[in-house]
Amino acid sequence: MEVIDGNRIAAEIVAELKAEVAAMHGRKPCIALVRVGDDPASVSYVRKKGQTAAEIGIESRILLPPVTIGQSALEGLVDSLNADPMVDGILVQSPLPAGIDERAVFGRISPEKDVDGFSPVNLGKLAQEDETGFPSCTPSGIMELLSRSGVNLEGRHVVVLGRSLIVGKPAALLLVQKKAGANATVTICHSKTANLPSITRQADVLVAAIGRPEFVKADMVKPGVVVIDVGVNRIPDASRKSGYRLVGDVDFAGVAPLASKITPVPGGVGPMTVAMLMRNTVKAFRQRAGG
Ligand code: NAP
């Protein structure tokens, strides 16, 4: 059994991007990071994104509008970033405060700056296999983890647990693409799926993205399975200073002995999401600059 090291693979991608940006002449790529309010997870995600950008040589602008900002003012802020020629990528950190229509805000971001890949145009381009689009970061991080770990997906049965627009659906679209590195046979499962364990036991590769701590148990997988655990769940742990620890959607201790490869939580998919955001930002810069 091999534990797939997301930190190492993400660091490889960051190093590649750093070399690519260092070779650029003139203006460097720039990402605008918008965080509304002080949600602790959002604070740490945006900090990490800013740090990784700096490491690569990508400029970042962090915008912190107050939690009281309304829908129209937030959309106005997005409009001003859309219009700013020095900004290549825009990320609005989710979740947004209650009362704000998140989908409308994401949809407001110009498709050519939508480096998170959540706008309808980029989801459509993903479905059309149009390479000019920006695939959302966690799903493309999953693909990168699999390919850099030597997992050949062609003809394999991948079962995706979860059908969200952020992870499950775009991951399934990438896995089923008609191209080298994909060509998988994909089954998507969700909370209404009947006989779930009988389906997960058929998986050559299992992608778990449901947000249920340690939901996938050993009796739900077949020996030799490759497991990608996307879940990030906080569970109480009195032995930790923070009072909690992070676990995935997979019971790692039970499933790992059966798996051929498995991602840990933390240190699996999480670091890849940030690396792919940076890759999308460099791509946006190149496309806006005409190559
Ligand atoms: P989400 O929007 O809440 O979607 C969860 C999906 O799981 C839904 O499709 C839901 O089905 C399905 N589901 C829930 N309980 C289920 C069950 N018992 N059996 C089968 N399916 C079930 O969550 P998300 O945004 O996709 O995130 C999923 C997990 O990934 C979360 O833990 C999140 O924190 C994590 N995540 C991690 C990263 C990263 O960078 N590592 C990025 C994004 C998300 P229905 O559609 O029927 O409700």
Side-chain angles (χ1 to χ4, degrees), residues 99-116:
I100 300 238
D101 178 350
E102 200 165 87
R103 198 177 281 193
V105 174
F106 294 152
R108 193 87 177 190
I109 299 171
S110 291
E112 64 272 18
K113 296 188 179 187
D114 170 34
V115 286
D116 233 354

Side-chain angles (χ1 to χ4, degrees), residues 45 138 161-168 189-193 196 208-212 215 229-233 247-249 268-274:
Y45 288 145
T138 302
L161 296 185
R163 58 176 164 186
S164 74
L165 272 178
I166 308 224
V167 189
C189 300
H190 46 78
S191 68
K192 304 286 185 275
T193 297
L196 187 71
I210 56 177
R212 299 276 179 272
F215 177 89
D229 189 352
V230 186
V232 179
N233 307 290
V247 299
D249 289 343
V269 175
M272 294 299 292
T273 299
V274 180

Side-chain angles (χ1 to χ4, degrees), residues 99-181:
I100 300 238
D101 178 350
E102 200 165 87
R103 198 177 281 193
V105 174
F106 294 152
R108 193 87 177 190
I109 299 171
S110 291
E112 64 272 18
K113 296 188 179 187
D114 170 34
V115 286
D116 233 354
F118 294 156
S119 73
V121 170
N122 280 311
L123 284 165
K125 285 189 173 188
L126 177 57
Q128 292 178 334
E129 303 192 19
D130 177 339
E131 298 285 334
T132 66
F134 299 103
S136 46
C137 302
T138 302
S140 51
I142 293 169
M143 298 302 287
E144 203 67 33
L145 271 183
L146 288 167
S147 73
R148 291 189 189 228
S149 304
V151 178
N152 179 11
L153 291 168
E154 186 159 320
R156 315 281 302 279
H157 185 192
V158 184
V159 174
V160 178
L161 296 185
R163 58 176 164 186
S164 74
L165 272 178
I166 308 224
V167 189
K169 274 185 195 153
L173 284 170
L174 284 169
L175 289 157
V176 82
Q177 280 193 336
K178 191 172 179 173
K179 68 173 197 188

